[in-house]
Amino acid sequence: MESRSMVVSSTVAILLVLHLGLIPIMAQESILQIGVAGQTVLLSCVGIRHETEVTWKYNNLLIRQYGDSYLKGKATMTNRSEIDRKSKRLKVLDLRLSDAGTYTCEYGSEVVRISLHVFQLTISSDGYFLVNDVPELTLTQSASHSLPDLTITVSDNNKNTVRSTPSENTTRQKYVLKLKQLKATDSGTWMCHIHSDSPLINQSIPFDVKVLGFQNPNLERKYVTVGSAVILSWLLNFQKIKWKEDFTGQLNWKQQGSATTHELFAFSITARGEQQEIKKSSHFGSEIPESKPDGTIQVKLPKVHFNHSGQYKCELAYKGRHVQSRIDLVVMKVSASHAGLLPRGAEMTLTCQVSGPLPSNAHLLWERVNGTQMDIEKSKQHEVKVKVRAAGLWYCHLIEDNDRKISLRYPVEETPDWNSYVTIGASVGGSVLTLGLACLCIISSIRWQRRRQWRKRMARARQHLLENKTCQCQR
């Protein structure tokens, strides 16, 4: 009986010791709370009554005390903090990595401990990029406890998961990820998702990505005919994405088949969206349109010549990085082997030519209005020829993917029948006229010879009379 009582007493004593030992352990357990650098965090004092006096400390340093007396401590975040009068929560503004640690909320004999785990997310270039740039995302963590292994996933502005590659500089404290190559459509709010199993962390941090570029494609082909007017346009997206940085640009032209680049004009756009253009060259009478849509770069060619073809490149520059968009101008012209009317029975060759090689899905086609299949000529080369032996209206088409891009007409007219008679009459009349003139010249020559002979005879007669009179006087 005594032994049984001793066992019971020992058991009670052990349980009492364990209970007393667990009290400080439980009291020291802390609540995990997540904060993001640069944002505001609210630390809650669980179970506190509204009228209770509260004291907030950071790593045992006084932050603030609220109650009958108001005290301000010397913790590093004191000047960035405030206590809510009703909830007694501590608000820390403009959170920093160094603010991570253990916070205690003391009211009466109660103590609430909060372990603040702070994440700092930064993106290269402050989130301002050009098309084809590869952004770098850096996630840094700070905590009072050992740092956990994190699983990080990134989603873009369309909520699609973005494949990321860890950098060689990645550590448990600092994760550096290289993201995908950017497109102009990637501008918007992205999300960084953070997960940890121990301690359990599920946190999402948004960040902005602004990609400066063009809303038209990187390479565009434009077809025009000789003598027409054309405006080449590049639509920038800086207004759409609310770009707030200065950048510059220029428009260059390189003639088809030439290696020389000509700068047509330069431009600059301020953070407020003000646009200024400076013309650099009037190489072939290019113009900057006076009125155009906002955020648009344009050049106008009032009258296109065949040698205006080539590559027109609009280039943007921002902090030493560049992006460009190109328009290839392809010019079409038609010509004939000889000018004027087509004589009956003769042959004329019509040539349709473009200024550069055609893409694989395009071809040139000659066709005669109201003609037959025999009158059609096709070519996937940069020119096509057709032989013409009769009058008619001909069209040359440039066709791409069964779509007629441009066309040029060439009317062929024959020499009319009455024109032949006129020609014969003119020939006969010319011959008769020539013969008449010849006869007139002969008659005039004969008359002139007769008059000359008559003058000679008269001169001899006068000389003879003078000689006779001289002789009579001498007698």
Side-chain angles (χ1 to χ4, degrees):
M1 188 72 177
E2 291 178 359
S3 61
R4 184 177 297 177
S5 299
M6 291 177 63
V7 170
V8 172
S9 300
S10 300
T11 303
V12 173
I14 292 170
L15 291 173
L16 182 60
V17 170
L18 290 173
H19 176 69
L20 293 173
L22 284 173
I23 289 176
I25 295 175
M26 293 177 66
Q28 292 176 1
E29 286 183 353
S30 58
I31 302 168
L32 177 64
Q33 193 160 343
I34 305 300
V36 178
Q39 298 182 10
T40 299
V41 66
L42 289 172
L43 306 180
S44 300
C45 197
V46 181
I48 191 171
R49 296 187 302 274
H50 294 322
E51 67 277 6
T52 306
E53 181 180 286
V54 63
T55 302
W56 280 97
K57 294 181 180 179
Y58 169 73
N59 293 342
N60 295 323
L61 287 174
L62 177 64
I63 304 173
R64 289 181 182 273
Q65 180 178 320
Y66 179 85
D68 295 335
S69 59
Y70 301 92
L71 297 178
K72 183 178 178 181
K74 295 184 178 180
T76 56
M77 73 290 298
T78 297
N79 292 330
R80 294 180 286 110
S81 65
E82 58 186 47
I83 297 176
D84 185 86
R85 293 185 178 183
K86 292 183 178 180
S87 65
K88 305 299 188 295
R89 292 188 300 180
L90 178 69
K91 179 190 289 186
V92 182
L93 308 172
D94 190 19
L95 200 62
R96 301 171 185 174
L97 277 175
S98 58
D99 293 338
T102 301
Y103 290 76
T104 56
C105 170
E106 301 174 1
Y107 57 98
S109 60
E110 300 295 328
V111 178
V112 178
R113 300 182 189 281
I114 299 173
S115 177
L116 182 61
H117 193 131
V118 179
F119 291 104
Q120 182 183 60
L121 185 70
T122 58
I123 186 168
S124 56
S125 300
D126 295 325
Y128 286 84
F129 301 97
L130 296 182
V131 172
N132 298 326
D133 282 351
V134 177
E136 193 173 78
L137 196 66
T138 302
L139 178 70
T140 307
Q141 62 173 334
S142 179
S144 57
H145 52 78
S146 59
L147 299 176
D149 285 328
L150 303 176
T151 301
I152 302 172
T153 55
V154 179
S155 57
D156 62 16
N157 57 324
N158 293 315
K159 299 182 180 180
N160 298 319
T161 300
V162 176
R163 184 177 179 180
S164 57
T165 306
S167 171
E168 297 177 354
N169 301 325
T170 295
T171 63
R172 179 171 287 192
Q173 181 184 13
K174 181 183 290 187
Y175 292 77
V176 182
L177 304 175
K178 289 186 178 297
L179 306 181
K180 68 173 185 177
Q181 197 173 49
L182 295 174
K183 304 187 295 293
T185 54
D186 287 329
S187 294
T189 300
W190 291 37
M191 197 70 70
C192 177
H193 307 280
I194 307 165
H195 174 76
S196 170
D197 291 327
S198 180
L200 183 60
I201 298 175
N202 284 298
Q203 182 72 29
S204 295
I205 305 176
F207 61 97
D208 289 332
V209 172
K210 297 182 185 295
V211 186
L212 180 65
F214 303 90
Q215 297 191 54
N216 43 325
N218 291 336
L219 176 58
E220 185 179 351
R221 186 176 286 105
K222 196 171 187 67
Y223 300 105
V224 295
T225 57
V226 166
S228 62
V230 65
I231 295 178
L232 306 180
S233 298
W234 290 264
L235 181 58
L236 309 185
N237 68 348
F238 68 93
Q239 292 180 329
K240 181 179 180 181
I241 65 176
K242 298 179 180 179
W243 183 274
K244 299 298 181 184
E245 296 283 330
D246 296 347
F247 66 95
T248 60
Q250 61 184 27
L251 182 63
N252 300 323
W253 169 68
K254 184 167 71 173
Q255 190 177 10
Q256 182 71 35
S258 172
T260 305
T261 299
H262 304 273
E263 184 179 357
L264 301 183
F265 65 84
F267 59 90
S268 61
I269 298 176
T270 67
R272 292 177 294 181
E274 298 170 348
Q275 186 171 328
Q276 183 180 9
E277 295 163 336
I278 303 171
K279 191 169 183 179
K280 293 295 185 72
S281 171
S282 55
H283 191 73
F284 45 72
S286 60
E287 301 176 359
I288 301 174
E290 293 182 1
S291 60
K292 55 182 179 291
D294 291 340
T296 302
I297 302 299
Q298 289 186 340
V299 62
K300 179 180 180 180
L301 306 180
K303 188 174 183 180
V304 176
H305 297 283
F306 196 68
N307 60 0
H308 290 170
S309 64
Q311 299 176 359
Y312 292 78
K313 292 182 181 179
C314 185
E315 183 178 273
L316 307 181
Y318 173 68
K319 291 187 176 180
R321 307 194 305 276
H322 300 82
V323 64
Q324 66 181 21
S325 176
R326 191 179 94 195
I327 296 178
D328 285 352
L329 187 65
V330 180
V331 183
M332 174 195 280
K333 68 176 181 179
V334 294
S335 60
S337 55
H338 61 269
L341 301 176
L342 176 66
R344 284 193 173 274
E347 182 179 88
M348 178 187 290
T349 300
L350 302 183
T351 302
C352 179
Q353 185 179 6
V354 291
S355 54
L358 294 175
S360 58
N361 61 338
H363 65 273
L364 293 174
L365 181 143
W366 268 117
E367 69 173 357
R368 181 184 177 187
V369 177
N370 299 324
T372 65
Q373 193 70 24
M374 297 295 292
D375 295 322
I376 295 177
E377 288 290 340
K378 295 182 181 180
S379 175
K380 296 185 72 67
Q381 304 302 317
H382 72 284
E383 72 174 19
V384 60
K385 296 183 178 183
V386 63
K387 294 186 181 300
V388 179
R389 297 178 179 84
L393 180 60
W394 290 81
Y395 276 94
C396 180
H397 307 291
L398 193 156
I399 301 174
E400 187 178 86
D401 291 330
N402 298 320
D403 180 25
R404 289 184 181 180
K405 294 296 184 180
I406 50 173
S407 299
L408 270 178
R409 64 194 294 273
Y410 196 97
V412 176
E413 298 179 3
E414 282 184 328
T415 303
D417 293 338
W418 60 267
N419 201 25
S420 300
Y421 297 124
V422 170
T423 304
I424 295 173
S427 300
V428 172
S431 301
V432 172
L433 181 61
T434 303
L435 180 61
L437 290 174
C439 293
L440 184 60
C441 290
I442 293 171
I443 293 171
S444 298
S445 178
I446 293 172
R447 288 180 177 177
W448 183 77
Q449 290 289 343
R450 288 178 178 176
R451 288 175 181 174
R452 185 179 179 185
Q453 291 175 358
W454 179 77
R455 289 192 190 99
K456 287 182 178 180
R457 286 198 296 271
M458 291 299 292
R460 284 197 296 269
R462 283 194 295 269
Q463 183 68 29
H464 181 70
L465 289 174
L466 289 172
E467 291 176 353
N468 289 337
K469 288 179 178 181
T470 305
C471 292
Q472 290 176 1
C473 290
Q474 290 177 352
R475 290 178 184 173

